[in-house]
Amino acid sequence: MVGAERNLPYDRTAVSKGLMSGSDTIDEIGLAFPGELDDLDLILGHTAVSLDVERRRVTLDDGTALGFEVLFIATGSAAVWPASIPHLQGVHTLRTADDSMALCADLSDAKRVVVVGGGFIGAEVAAGIKSADVDVTMIVAGTVPLERALGREFGEEWAGVHREHGIDVRCGEYVASLSAEFDRVSAVVLSDGTSIDADVVVLGIGARPVTDWLHGSGLTLTDGVVCDENLMAAPGIYAIGDVAKWPHPKFGQLLRVEHWTNAHEQGTAAARHYLGVGGPFENVPYVWTDQFGYRIQVYGKTTDADLIHRVPSANPSVPRIVLYGSGSRLMAALGVDDPRSLLPLRRLIAQPDSWEHALSLVGS
């Protein structure tokens, strides 16, 4: 098992939660018990730089060549760092445990934090670091936070939740430049010329699949490694997690899903297929985020929805359930602190004529 990070496998969801806040340590979020990986040949702190499909060989950054009979590609995603943003002290991305611990250390005496990006990572980081003595500004290039993932209506409501908790949410703006003092960020300059003082800046503006090392390998690369329904990119070569793009039988299109649960489930599915006991991978995508004491859970694919049905909660600012549909099908379901209602909806997602059934389950 080859890994670019020097840490043993760990729960990556903690990167934007407990590890970032300092409530968890890297040892506490480890996924392996002592001795559990002793039978593996672990090569940590090195990256793969090329793949020779015909000769069945992977070459590492130190020149080591590893032969294989079967290869599982799980190189994940890398955080996007725009060329226009200089690498200054106090500016962070958040993908790895090392990223999270470095951010945690920088936040210890920060008073003014700017989070760039209004997706899941940006919104979760902004919520996680907000406290009474820290000013947090979230810069969103789109109309509202979470719009691309969950739609404008929910994004508007969730922007209100952030503002209620004291976060300055600025939409329709992007970062034009950074100001610095002695190689450390001091301010963020927006596209409209506004300057926002900042001790720490967190860039949460997206991720790209790590496929650079596969160029020239002969594998099909299109925003990820293109696989078949069994996650095979070539005979004896599987792709799993953020890097995999496969035809989902329920949604009828190629999908690449950047969620922790997808990586976990695809790893199991690919291993089972290799052992001859598994079939096509068709699990329903799932993601969750914890913000301000709320847990948002989403099953399915929201981006193609042309029907949206909102079920209110006791708090009029926050929905209890949101359904996303297309035609006669339920395509996704979102719940806020209501996991019980989501379970029967999950079974309906992408099934024929499931929209009306879903409406009958949640009421109005």
Side-chain angles (χ1 to χ4, degrees):
M1 184 166 68
V2 178
E5 298 182 57
R6 297 187 182 277
N7 298 305
L8 289 169
Y10 58 87
D11 179 359
R12 196 171 291 271
T13 64
V15 164
S16 59
K17 299 179 176 68
L19 198 61
M20 183 189 72
S21 68
S23 62
D24 290 330
T25 66
I26 185 64
D27 292 333
E28 290 172 331
I29 66 170
L31 292 178
F33 295 107
E36 191 174 5
L37 302 179
D38 288 352
D39 292 337
L40 293 180
D41 183 5
L42 290 172
I43 303 176
L44 301 178
H46 290 281
T47 59
V49 296
S50 67
L51 167 64
D52 188 325
V53 172
E54 292 186 1
R55 298 176 68 184
R56 317 297 280 181
R57 185 172 67 182
V58 172
T59 302
L60 306 186
D61 54 4
D62 64 354
T64 300
L66 301 175
F68 65 86
E69 295 177 10
V70 177
L71 173 67
F72 295 88
I73 299 171
T75 44
S77 295
V80 171
W81 192 304
S84 60
I85 303 296
H87 289 259
L88 299 170
Q89 294 179 40
V91 182
H92 299 263
T93 55
L94 192 59
R95 294 294 298 181
T96 69
D98 288 343
D99 291 341
S100 186
M101 290 186 287
L103 176 58
C104 180
D106 240 1
L107 289 172
S108 61
D109 57 0
K111 298 297 183 183
R112 301 162 301 181
V113 178
V114 174
V115 178
V116 184
F120 279 116
I121 288 293
E124 191 167 290
V125 168
I129 63 180
K130 176 59 185 171
S131 65
D133 58 348
V134 179
D135 291 329
V136 180
T137 302
M138 182 165 61
I139 308 302
V140 183
T143 306
V144 293
L146 299 172
E147 180 177 10
R148 188 172 65 174
L150 302 177
R152 179 173 295 187
E153 182 177 359
F154 183 85
E156 288 176 348
E157 293 175 320
W158 210 247
V161 172
H162 275 251
R163 290 182 174 119
E164 287 172 4
H165 286 82
I167 293 178
D168 181 5
V169 181
R170 304 195 185 192
C171 300
E173 298 288 348
Y174 63 88
V175 176
S177 63
L178 300 181
S179 299
E181 294 180 2
F182 305 107
D183 295 325
R184 184 174 185 88
V185 67
S186 60
V188 174
V189 180
L190 302 184
S191 51
D192 65 357
T194 302
S195 180
I196 304 172
D197 292 340
D199 304 311
V200 172
V201 173
V202 184
L203 302 177
I205 54 177
R208 58 173 182 81
V210 179
T211 59
D212 309 52
W213 66 286
L214 294 171
H215 290 290
S217 66
L219 299 185
T220 302
L221 307 177
T222 307
D223 183 39
V225 180
V226 178
C227 311
D228 67 11
E229 66 277 8
N230 298 306
L231 305 174
M232 287 185 63
I237 299 177
Y238 295 83
I240 55 180
D242 290 15
V243 78
K245 194 168 187 177
W246 87 106
H248 197 295
K250 289 184 177 180
F251 293 104
Q253 58 184 274
L254 286 171
L255 292 187
R256 188 176 69 83
V257 178
E258 295 181 351
H259 301 326
W260 179 88
T261 49
N262 181 71
H264 170 73
E265 292 169 349
Q266 285 189 337
T268 301
R272 287 177 58 82
H273 186 265
Y274 163 62
L275 295 171
V277 294
F281 182 75
E282 57 180 14
N283 287 21
V284 174
Y286 169 70
V287 64
W288 83 95
T289 180
D290 295 328
Q291 299 176 34
F292 301 120
Y294 295 103
R295 169 158 288 192
I296 304 171
Q297 297 173 284
V298 186
Y299 286 102
K301 185 173 180 290
T302 64
T303 51
D304 295 332
D306 50 33
L307 298 169
I308 295 180
H309 179 76
R310 180 188 185 278
V311 180
S313 68
N315 180 353
S317 300
V318 179
R320 179 172 64 86
I321 295 289
V322 180
L323 303 181
Y324 301 81
S326 180
S328 63
R329 291 190 173 204
L330 174 69
M331 302 302 288
L334 175 152
V336 181
D337 292 338
D338 193 0
R340 180 175 296 180
S341 295
L342 286 180
L343 291 179
L345 293 170
R346 180 184 185 182
R347 293 189 286 269
L348 295 178
I349 289 172
Q351 299 295 331
D353 301 319
S354 52
W355 178 251
E356 291 298 329
H357 189 179
L359 290 178
S360 70
L361 290 176
V362 301
S364 59

